[in-house]
Amino acid sequence: MTHFYAQSRDNQLSSFDTQTDYSQNNQQANDLPQNDNERVFEKNVCIYGSSSALTVVTTKTKTDQYHTLTIEGARSLENKPRYYQWNDKIILQLTRSEIPYFIGVLVGMISKAEFNNHGAKKNKSMKIEFQGNKFFMNITEGGKKAVAVPISLDDALSLSLYAIDIYMRNYSNLSPEIVLKLISKTLSKKVVKS
């Protein structure tokens, strides 16, 4: 099941009815309103499975402030399905070269993508794959148990629209159609492993 939450940049969750959405404006944090009723909210996508859950949030790369996605995965407690260990989550940020592959899988341009050698220890990885009637995402880190979550077609659609929206922030002068055509052409010429 996918859930969209409004989350301020200071990680406070709030309801949609009292918020002002500045996500279309690319303002710096210093320029943002300080009043609680005017905080900037970003959506995130949560996908829950019986043994694991994912949260996908928008972030920027440290080096060049490129808009991308960070994927957080948590396993459920052994004796409590649907209660997740967010204090022991695996966090993986997609690079600027990986986000087109992620989108490509979700929109059916390619069937799978793998992203390896993430994190300071280069011990994090993620795989997303289309499996006929659903998608499947697997995130690993070193000695931790893998976080594996099936993603329904409906949830994949929500996730793909979210990912495209975030990716488009880097190319606001181009239409989504042009960006998807460019991603498609690029992916048709490359191997699916990153």
Side-chain angles (χ1 to χ4, degrees):
M1 176 186 299
T2 303
H3 297 279
F4 286 94
Y5 292 97
Q7 185 172 21
S8 68
R9 293 202 177 149
D10 59 354
N11 290 326
Q12 298 295 316
L13 289 178
S14 183
S15 62
F16 283 97
D17 56 344
T18 61
Q19 66 189 337
T20 303
D21 183 1
Y22 289 94
S23 62
Q24 296 303 316
N25 301 336
N26 198 8
Q27 299 178 359
Q28 296 298 321
N30 301 356
D31 300 332
L32 299 177
Q34 299 304 311
N35 181 331
D36 271 354
N37 291 331
E38 295 181 8
R39 287 186 303 196
V40 174
F41 289 87
E42 289 285 351
K43 294 178 197 166
N44 61 35
V45 178
C46 297
I47 300 172
Y48 298 97
S50 59
S51 64
S52 298
L54 299 171
T55 299
V56 183
V57 298
T58 178
T59 55
K60 292 182 182 179
T61 59
K62 289 180 185 176
T63 54
D64 58 2
Q65 296 297 294
Y66 190 84
H67 294 274
T68 190
L69 299 170
T70 293
I71 299 155
E72 301 174 349
R75 295 191 45 75
S76 66
L77 295 170
E78 299 262 341
N79 55 352
K80 291 189 176 182
R82 306 253 183 216
Y83 287 86
Y84 302 98
Q85 301 175 55
W86 291 108
N87 59 335
D88 192 32
K89 63 187 173 188
I90 300 172
I91 302 170
L92 186 140
Q93 183 182 63
L94 296 178
T95 66
R96 70 182 319 150
S97 62
E98 291 170 339
I99 194 168
Y101 289 90
F102 184 76
I103 291 170
V105 172
L106 291 169
V107 300
M109 293 176 189
I110 55 178
S111 62
K112 65 181 175 180
E114 259 185 82
F115 312 114
N116 299 309
N117 301 314
H118 279 259
K121 297 179 182 177
K122 307 278 188 220
N123 65 342
K124 296 181 186 181
S125 65
M126 185 190 89
K127 181 178 180 180
I128 183 167
E129 182 174 15
F130 180 62
Q131 296 183 336
N133 61 350
K134 68 181 181 299
F135 290 81
F136 195 77
M137 192 181 303
N138 189 27
I139 304 171
T140 61
E141 177 183 6
K144 293 183 179 181
K145 286 186 174 182
V147 173
V149 179
I151 303 170
S152 72
L153 296 178
D154 291 337
D155 289 347
L157 174 61
S158 297
L159 185 54
S160 67
L161 293 171
Y162 181 69
I164 292 166
D165 176 55
I166 301 310
Y167 189 65
M168 289 296 304
R169 294 179 188 186
N170 300 300
Y171 307 102
S172 58
N173 58 326
L174 299 175
S175 72
E177 295 83 13
I178 296 295
V179 169
L180 287 172
K181 283 181 184 177
L182 290 170
I183 289 173
S184 179
K185 278 198 168 291
T186 301
L187 296 183
S188 70
K189 297 175 184 176
K190 290 192 173 187
V191 178
V192 195
K193 209 169 185 178
S194 159

